[in-house]
């Protein structure tokens, strides 16, 4: 699962401090996310979420989407709406975690 946004005109350091790291902190509270990594390059922020294999990716996607909508008013002016991409894996998931 990944979250991506852009912030045209800002340096990577600013993108990281003002947006990427804040989103990462929110996602860290989601049960079922095993690992979070990110990159802030040029005008893009990318956050990669590795999910626990025993959790339902749709439930996690729903929670992450809700967090994105909640934080949108606090995103820096000029930053795009963060988009969420889910890479579906095969296999049945046990539950929401």
């Amino acid at each position: 699962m990944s979250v991506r946004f852009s912030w045209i005109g800002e340096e990577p350091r600013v993108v990281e401090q003002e947006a990427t790291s804040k989103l990462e902190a929110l996602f860290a509270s989601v049960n079922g996310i095993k690992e979070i990594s990110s990159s802030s390059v040029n005008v893009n922020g990318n956050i990669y979420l590795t999910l626990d294999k025993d959790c339902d990716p749709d439930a996690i996607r729903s929670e992450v989407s809700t967090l994105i909508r909640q934080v949108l008013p606090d995103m820096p002016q000029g930053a795009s709406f963060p988009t969420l991409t889910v890479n579906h894996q095969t296999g049945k998931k046990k539950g929401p975690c």
Side-chain angles (χ1 to χ4, degrees), residues 1 9-11 34 36 43 49 55 66 71-72 74 88:
M1 186 174 296
E10 287 300 333
E11 297 178 13
K34 184 166 70 171
I36 301 173
V43 298
L49 308 172
C55 296
T66 298
V71 77
L72 187 61
D74 298 324
H88 287 285

Side-chain angles (χ1 to χ4, degrees), residues 18-90:
E18 298 298 322
T20 306
S21 63
K22 291 180 180 181
L23 288 168
E24 284 180 289
L26 281 175
F27 302 153
S29 68
V30 176
N31 287 333
I33 294 179
K34 184 166 70 171
E35 182 180 339
I36 301 173
S37 61
S38 68
S39 64
S40 299
V41 293
N42 297 327
V43 298
N44 294 312
N46 302 291
I47 303 168
Y48 308 99
L49 308 172
T50 303
L51 309 183
D52 184 317
K53 66 179 179 166
D54 294 328
C55 296
D56 179 4
D58 291 328
I60 295 170
R61 178 201 50 78
S62 178
E63 189 169 350
V64 168
S65 293
T66 298
L67 289 171
I68 290 171
R69 284 190 302 278
Q70 288 174 352
V71 77
L72 187 61
D74 298 324
M75 287 290 285
Q77 188 171 9
S80 69
F81 185 85
T83 57
L84 177 63
T85 303
V86 178
N87 302 322
H88 287 285
Q89 300 174 359
T90 59

